[in-house]
């Protein structure tokens, strides 16, 4: 009983803090899934069993649960049903002979409504390696791009953004021009109030995926409140002050399943949309390190999902980066699906016929697993096991590739989200390691 109470309290804590939740806020139904290994990890070939519990209004339900088992992000390879007695049943997930994750996908029909849940467990996760292979000219390709970009002088505008200033921080809207074609990125630049020359670490925060405004610019205001200069950037060159309806129109026109920016130009490494995006990270660091208030030592990159991927890219491309903070990185081992393996966001296998040999060749220049090999900065990474956006298989592929000094926070129950406490803890980790 004590164990159950602890699980329920933990679940409710997730409910109150999650943005994308395993346990939807104010739902009458609550799933609890408990693997027979407390860390959710097994050796390959070892069987995993999961106790499944289902509650309505906190009362255990006796009902039938149907389930599927599958490798992480892959089609189901097994199915069955379990009868809950006293709200509980134990399901044997079986095993897998290779390193990776298995997914138990649950479904129950109660009162005519269908309720779903899932849980992933890992097997020999320390042995997970990416399928992505680094091209022989990988470093030369990116050095050439940086050199070409820097042939255009550092050019930007900066204006006060009073709507995001507080009694502790000042905010400016920056438009950074990247090249002679006048392509640009926008960013909000946050300073501690009364920032002094030569005193402040700089933090670059790339965005998550999508065509959208800079999300909640003040959500990480505590970085500036604790003495950092923080840049919250976008990657498409669209003024973040435009109304949401404008971003929605642009996204519908240029970011559908068939023509999304993450597929634009994939037939050629030099024409791929993300080339300019990756290079813009170095240009943002050029700007940040040109500020007279920079302390001359500390350059931090931090982000989640696509932003986590871009943080790793920035740390790999720019030796000035001293710390890299990452949540569940996207863009990792993207072509693995072509080998029948679990791949990372944006899950290009979902577009029929897209993973051609030319596309696979291009992806190798942009795969975060290949960039991870070049990171030397102190790195802090967090990920969850139940994530179906940036699956744990690809997070481990990145983590196991990193050879830099590194720390991790693994939160098995998490889907594609991190709590406020986790994100605040990342800043505290960063502050404790400033040079």
């Amino acid at each position: 009983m004590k164990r159950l109470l602890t699980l329920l309290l933990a679940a409710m804590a997730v409910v109150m803090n999650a943005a994308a939740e395993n346990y939807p806020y104010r739902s009458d139904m609550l799933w609890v899934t408990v693997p027979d290994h407390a860390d959710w990890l097994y050796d390959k070939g070892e069987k995993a069993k999961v106790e499944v519990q289902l509650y309505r209004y906190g009362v255990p339900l006796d009902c039938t649960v149907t389930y599927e088992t599958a490798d992480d992000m892959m089609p189901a390879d097994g199915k069955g049903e379990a009868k809950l007695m006293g709200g509980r049943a134990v399901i044997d997930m079986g095993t897998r002979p290779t390193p990776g994750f298995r997914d138990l996908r649950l479904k129950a029909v109660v009162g005519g409504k269908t309720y779903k849940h899932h849980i992933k467990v890992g097997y020999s996760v320390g042995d997970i390696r990416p399928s992505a292979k680094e091209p022989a000219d990988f470093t030369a390709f990116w050095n050439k791009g940086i050199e070409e970009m820097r042939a255009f002088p550092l050019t930007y505008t900066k204006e006060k953004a009073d709507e995001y200033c507080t009694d502790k921080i000042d905010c400016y809207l920056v438009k950074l021009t990247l090249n002679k074609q006048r392509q640009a990125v926008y960013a909000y630049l946050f300073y501690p109030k009364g920032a002094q020359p030569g005193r402040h670490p700089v933090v670059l925060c790339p965005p998550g995926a999508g065509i959208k405004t800079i999300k909640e610019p003040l959500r990480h205001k505590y970085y500036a409140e604790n003495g950092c200069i923080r840049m919250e950037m976008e990657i498409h060159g669209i003024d973040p002050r435009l109304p949401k309806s404008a971003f929605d129109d642009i996204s519908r026109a240029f970011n559908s399943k068939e023509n999304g920016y993450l597929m634009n130009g994939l037939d050629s490494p030099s024409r791929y949309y993300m080339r300019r995006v990756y290079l813009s990270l170095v240009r943002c660091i050029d700007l940040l390190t040109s500020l007279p208030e920079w302390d001359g030592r500390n350059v931090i990159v931090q982000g989640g999902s696509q932003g986590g991927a871009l943080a790793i890219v920035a740390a790999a491309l720019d030796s000035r980066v001293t710390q890299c903070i990452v949540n569940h990185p996207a863009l990792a081992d993207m072509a693995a699906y072509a080998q029948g393996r679990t791949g990372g966001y944006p899950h290009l296998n979902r577009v029929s016929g897209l993973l051609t040999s030319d596309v696979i060749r291009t992806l190798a220049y942009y795969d975060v697993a290949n960039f991870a090999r070049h990171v030397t900065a102190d790195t802090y990474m967090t990920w969850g096991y139940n994530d179906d956006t940036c699956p744990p298989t690809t997070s481990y592929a990145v983590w196991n590739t990193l050879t830099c000094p590194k720390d991790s926070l693994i939160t098995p129950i998490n889907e594609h989200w991190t709590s406020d406490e986790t994100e605040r803890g990342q800043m505290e980790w960063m502050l404790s390691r400033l040079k």
Side-chain angles (χ1 to χ4, degrees):
M1 187 67 189
K2 182 178 179 181
R3 180 187 183 205
L4 174 59
L5 179 60
T6 300
L7 287 166
L8 290 173
L9 290 173
M12 291 307 297
V14 171
V15 167
M16 298 304 294
N17 288 293
E21 299 141 346
N22 307 63
Y23 302 96
Y25 181 45
R26 293 183 178 175
S27 173
D28 294 334
M29 308 295 291
L30 174 66
W31 293 91
V32 177
T33 45
V34 185
D36 58 349
H37 284 197
D39 60 2
W40 302 28
L41 297 179
Y42 301 79
D43 293 328
K44 60 185 180 182
E46 187 177 10
K47 287 189 176 183
K49 294 183 178 181
V50 177
E51 183 180 273
V52 176
Q53 306 167 27
L54 184 59
Y55 300 85
R56 188 181 192 187
Y57 312 126
V59 178
L61 282 176
D62 289 346
C63 64
T64 297
V65 171
T66 59
Y67 64 87
E68 296 179 339
T69 53
D71 285 348
D72 192 8
M73 304 303 297
M74 305 302 283
D77 52 35
K79 61 182 179 180
E81 64 178 35
K83 302 280 189 182
L84 300 188
M85 302 299 293
R88 299 175 179 227
V90 174
I91 296 175
D92 186 342
M93 286 185 66
T95 188
R96 59 177 293 160
T98 57
F101 277 78
R102 294 280 289 168
D103 194 4
L104 176 63
R105 301 163 186 167
L106 303 162
K107 184 188 299 184
V109 178
V110 180
K113 294 183 179 180
T114 299
Y115 299 89
K116 297 180 180 181
H117 189 59
H118 80 124
I119 180 173
K120 298 183 190 181
V121 298
Y123 298 83
S124 299
V125 295
D127 296 329
I128 296 173
R129 295 293 182 272
S131 65
K133 305 300 181 186
E134 183 176 317
D137 64 341
F138 181 83
T139 299
F141 175 84
W142 287 108
N143 285 344
K144 180 182 178 183
I146 294 170
E147 181 181 352
E148 291 173 351
M149 178 187 64
R150 284 183 170 155
F152 183 80
L154 181 63
T155 305
Y156 64 95
T157 61
K158 178 180 171 184
E159 59 180 286
K160 197 75 172 286
D162 290 320
E163 65 272 30
Y164 297 122
C165 295
T166 72
D167 60 335
K168 296 181 180 178
I169 59 178
D170 289 320
C171 180
Y172 296 84
L173 179 65
V174 169
K175 181 181 180 181
L176 175 60
T177 303
L178 302 174
N179 49 43
K180 62 183 180 181
Q181 289 80 33
R182 312 304 295 178
Q183 293 174 315
V185 294
Y186 286 83
Y188 284 113
L189 196 57
F190 291 92
Y191 288 79
K193 187 78 76 175
Q196 300 296 310
R199 294 284 302 276
H200 304 282
V202 292
V203 183
L204 174 64
C205 181
I211 297 177
K212 56 196 175 187
T213 190
I214 296 173
K215 182 183 176 183
E216 301 176 30
L218 286 171
R219 74 189 191 281
H220 290 135
K221 64 180 181 177
Y222 44 77
Y223 278 83
E225 292 173 347
N226 281 273
C228 298
I229 297 171
R230 183 176 175 89
M231 176 182 277
E232 296 266 356
M233 68 177 289
E234 62 83 44
I235 61 172
H236 302 293
I238 305 172
D239 192 327
R241 295 170 296 188
L242 290 175
K244 181 180 182 299
S245 59
F247 279 95
D248 290 344
D249 287 342
I250 294 168
S251 186
R252 280 189 288 268
F254 300 107
N255 197 33
S256 71
K257 179 180 178 182
E258 292 76 20
N259 71 344
Y261 67 90
L262 287 169
M263 292 176 281
N264 190 332
L266 260 177
D267 59 328
S268 168
S270 61
R271 292 197 300 271
Y272 186 34
Y273 186 93
M274 295 301 285
R275 180 176 183 273
R276 174 174 58 84
V277 174
Y278 284 19
L279 293 174
S280 74
L281 303 169
V282 176
R283 208 47 161 164
C284 285
I285 294 172
D286 287 346
L287 188 161
L288 287 167
T289 57
S290 75
L291 299 174
E293 296 87 358
W294 176 46
D295 66 10
R297 300 180 302 278
N298 294 285
V299 177
I300 299 96
V301 289
Q302 183 266 325
S305 194
Q306 177 187 265
L310 296 179
I312 291 173
V313 170
L317 291 180
D318 199 320
S319 62
R320 292 171 295 184
V321 174
T322 54
Q323 294 184 37
C324 179
I325 302 171
V326 180
N327 302 329
H328 40 250
L331 312 179
D333 219 11
M334 291 179 282
Y337 287 113
Q339 300 180 19
R341 296 176 51 179
T342 303
Y345 182 88
H347 305 295
L348 298 172
N349 62 313
R350 295 173 180 174
V351 180
S352 179
L354 181 62
L355 286 172
T356 64
S357 58
D358 285 343
V359 167
I360 291 171
R361 176 176 177 270
T362 295
L363 289 173
Y365 289 90
Y366 292 87
D367 199 289
V368 166
N370 287 335
F371 284 92
R373 297 185 176 100
H374 297 272
V375 174
T376 59
D378 292 356
T379 298
Y380 182 83
M381 184 168 149
T382 186
W383 65 98
Y385 292 168
N386 285 339
D387 197 333
D388 275 346
T389 303
C390 298
T393 300
T394 59
S395 286
Y396 269 106
V398 171
W399 174 256
N400 292 338
T401 300
L402 291 166
T403 58
C404 56
K406 58 184 182 179
D407 288 334
S408 66
L409 172 64
I410 301 172
T411 55
I413 203 169
N414 285 28
E415 296 191 16
H416 198 60
W417 55 269
T418 49
S419 69
D420 292 340
E421 290 82 0
T422 292
E423 295 190 9
R424 181 81 184 210
Q426 291 173 339
M427 182 199 67
E428 293 167 354
W429 182 91
M430 178 210 75
L431 292 174
S432 72
R433 285 159 176 80
L434 294 177
K435 297 181 182 296

